[in-house]
Amino acid sequence: MRLIGYGENDDVFIGYMNGDEVVRIADRATFWRNPERCIAAGGSVRSPRAELTLCSALPLGAKIICIGLNYRAHAIETGAPIPEKPVVFSRWADTVIVSGDASPAMDEAYDWEAELGVAIGRRTLAVTPKEASEGILGYCTFNDLSARTLQMETSQWTLGKNSDRSGPMGPIVTVNEAGNPAEGWRVTAHVNGDLMQDGNTSDMIFDVPTLIAHVSRAMTLQPGDLIITGTPPGVGAALKPQRFLKPGDVVRVEVGKLGAVTTPIIARPWVCG
């Protein structure tokens, strides 16, 4: 099942894709109170997908937990030591957009990062890696667009990882359809058709259950929280010469059979008031 969010009459609903249609499951708040129950109940209201305005499926208060330097080859290309513990930072839920939405280049060093996202489906606290898998609702393709100048000004990455509309995300593909990333899923990024990243989840230093268990040591993960699990080598900042995104570029990221997310890059707006 491929879950998406869409807006209708000032409300946001969660539905699943069925060919050219979307079947409504529940409004967003109801869905995330108990995703498994809502999915089991199914839905009956069908709408043509082309007529819907798609939006983030995540709940408004979702935590987005990001993992840095989690692909061995990417850590090596940056010159960083191989992490002994997961490198954790955060992203705001209101930065998330969907495929086809434009992202403004808020930095002259605006960079792509193809990543696997993991959507939490159950309340999860202090679990072991073995227990962690039971709380996964599904997986998604994610592009952790990064404002490198802002990111690298200090040792803390928050500002560079939370520029406006910098988190393109695909549908949440439920575990029963997606499978297990431990099988080794290809992770790619194309810019204007050029292949820039071509990695595999088998290169992760910390696998998905380990990441969930690690984060759950400190906080309760709630249904709708998202962990994005790091990026493979080939980011623009590591190229020689470096290459960054500019208005007019189009980024396409894809993970395994989860599908692709396409993001046009536009000029930075100027707003006052």
Side-chain angles (χ1 to χ4, degrees), residues 115-183:
E115 306 208 14
L116 166 68
V118 183
I120 303 299
R122 297 180 183 176
R123 186 173 179 271
T124 302
L125 175 65
V127 295
T128 66
K130 183 177 181 180
E131 295 165 337
S133 296
E134 298 176 6
I136 299 172
L137 176 66
Y139 301 95
C140 66
T141 299
F142 199 96
N143 187 357
D144 183 33
L145 290 166
S146 302
R148 297 294 190 203
T149 303
L150 297 172
Q151 178 189 349
M152 303 314 293
E153 283 179 345
T154 70
S155 62
Q156 304 301 310
W157 298 351
T158 301
L159 198 59
K161 293 289 190 172
N162 283 284
S163 61
D164 289 348
R165 300 172 62 82
S166 62
M169 174 181 165
I172 297 170
V173 184
T174 53
V175 169
N176 62 323
E177 180 175 333
N180 189 335
E183 301 163 357

Side-chain angles (χ1 to χ4, degrees), residues 70 86 118 129 180-182 201 204-214 229:
N70 193 36
V118 183
N180 189 335
T201 54
M204 282 185 180
I205 299 167
F206 306 103
D207 64 13
V208 168
T210 299
L211 293 174
I212 294 173
H214 180 75
T229 56

Side-chain angles (χ1 to χ4, degrees), residues 171-228:
I172 297 170
V173 184
T174 53
V175 169
N176 62 323
E177 180 175 333
N180 189 335
E183 301 163 357
W185 293 350
R186 191 181 183 195
V187 181
T188 61
H190 288 78
V191 178
N192 302 332
D194 297 332
L195 179 63
M196 308 307 298
Q197 290 183 280
D198 192 355
N200 194 287
T201 54
S202 62
D203 190 41
M204 282 185 180
I205 299 167
F206 306 103
D207 64 13
V208 168
T210 299
L211 293 174
I212 294 173
H214 180 75
V215 173
S216 79
R217 295 168 60 201
M219 67 186 74
T220 302
L221 293 170
Q222 301 285 358
D225 288 345
L226 189 71
I227 297 178
I228 56 174

